[in-house]
Amino acid sequence: MIRKWSAPIVRAGRAAGWSSAPVTYALIALCCLSFLAGPVSGLNPAYGTGDELLAVQRAYFRRWGVIPAELFEGSAGSALTPATALFVHGSWVHLLGNMLFLYVFGAMTEERMGRVQFTLFYVGCGYLALLGYAVANAHSEQSLVGASGAISAVLGAFLYLFPRARVTSLLPFLFFLPVRFPAWVVLPFWAALQWLAAGRASDGPGVAYLAHLIGFGLGFGCASVRYGRPTGPTRVKAAPAPAPEGENQP
């Protein structure tokens, strides 16, 4: 009976490419499930409503997110938060934006790196990106959550591994018309936007652009050290406008 039900699911997963990039899809599933089960999605009435729900959400972010001012106090729990924060998101837009970028760029990067190395790369670079942001903002009391540091590392690795891959982008200043550019145009443009935004960012709640830049640099550097020459032209089906929803500071 289990085989009868599972066979169509397995076939559908293979048709969607799951077999070639299982880690990427597992990461997407884990992020989505943790968001749906948590208080931020608003789908679980057990968390209450109004001020009660907001209080639960703040406690949730403080428990699983990175708080720079507490990170270097020496507790084991705080030291783990740069890893747990990778699977926590601050809103539906935050989640969906990050998962779209991971879906578009993660599969090809995983295929090139291999499952084990991609897993270590994703978690390690994501951890270091959040840690780097915490070092630069050591006195901040804001909770930092989101997978954008790790996903930025994937973008950096993708740029090195597939610089001539053609990416379909939807650009707001072109009325969201789909246009195709090589990765060496789209991704450096994205990194430049993060750099400009980081220079204007305040210390208050918002997007931690510095974590994006650190992750992107780590990803590009790791790929250039570990792997040989980039591959030839490749097509990437679709990508959104060149800036994912960033690390969120609720």
Side-chain angles (χ1 to χ4, degrees):
M1 179 63 70
I2 294 177
R3 281 188 176 182
K4 291 181 180 179
W5 284 100
S6 63
I9 297 175
V10 172
R11 285 196 297 268
R14 287 175 178 172
W18 292 8
S19 59
S20 59
V23 175
T24 296
Y25 295 105
L27 289 169
I28 292 173
L30 185 57
C31 286
C32 290
L33 288 174
S34 64
F35 182 82
L36 294 174
V40 185
S41 67
L43 299 178
N44 190 342
Y47 292 115
T49 59
D51 292 340
E52 180 184 3
L53 177 60
L54 291 176
V56 173
Q57 290 175 351
R58 284 194 293 268
Y60 177 76
F61 290 134
R62 291 193 68 85
R63 179 178 181 183
W64 301 112
V66 178
I67 303 175
E70 300 177 2
L71 182 59
F72 305 106
E73 292 180 350
S75 70
S78 295
L80 289 175
T81 55
T84 59
L86 296 176
F87 303 96
V88 178
H89 289 82
S91 68
W92 281 96
V93 173
H94 189 202
L95 172 73
L96 296 177
N98 277 346
M99 294 306 100
L100 178 58
F101 265 74
L102 182 55
Y103 172 79
V104 171
F105 295 101
M108 289 175 59
T109 306
E110 179 185 344
E111 288 181 30
R112 178 69 177 85
M113 289 185 171
R115 299 173 185 177
V116 175
Q117 291 189 35
F118 179 76
T119 302
L120 297 175
F121 165 82
Y122 181 91
V123 176
C125 287
Y127 186 103
L128 291 176
L130 294 178
L131 184 63
Y133 178 88
V135 170
N137 298 271
H139 301 294
S140 175
E141 295 283 349
Q142 295 290 336
S143 299
L144 184 66
V145 297
S148 300
I151 296 171
S152 296
V154 172
L155 298 185
F158 186 96
L159 174 61
Y160 179 80
L161 296 172
F162 309 102
R164 289 180 287 173
R166 299 191 66 82
V167 179
T168 301
S169 299
L170 303 177
L171 303 178
F173 55 84
L174 292 179
F175 303 101
F176 294 99
L177 293 175
V179 290
R180 295 184 68 81
F181 293 108
W184 65 265
V185 172
V186 175
L187 296 180
F189 177 63
W190 172 86
L193 291 179
Q194 307 306 299
W195 177 271
L196 292 174
R200 299 177 180 177
S202 65
D203 294 332
V207 178
Y209 295 103
L210 179 60
H212 301 180
L213 292 170
I214 295 173
F216 188 84
L218 285 171
F220 189 90
C222 287
S224 63
V225 170
R226 175 65 179 83
Y227 299 95
R229 292 181 178 180
T231 64
T234 308
R235 289 187 177 183
V236 179
K237 293 183 179 179
E245 182 70 15
E247 305 294 356
N248 200 50
Q249 298 172 277

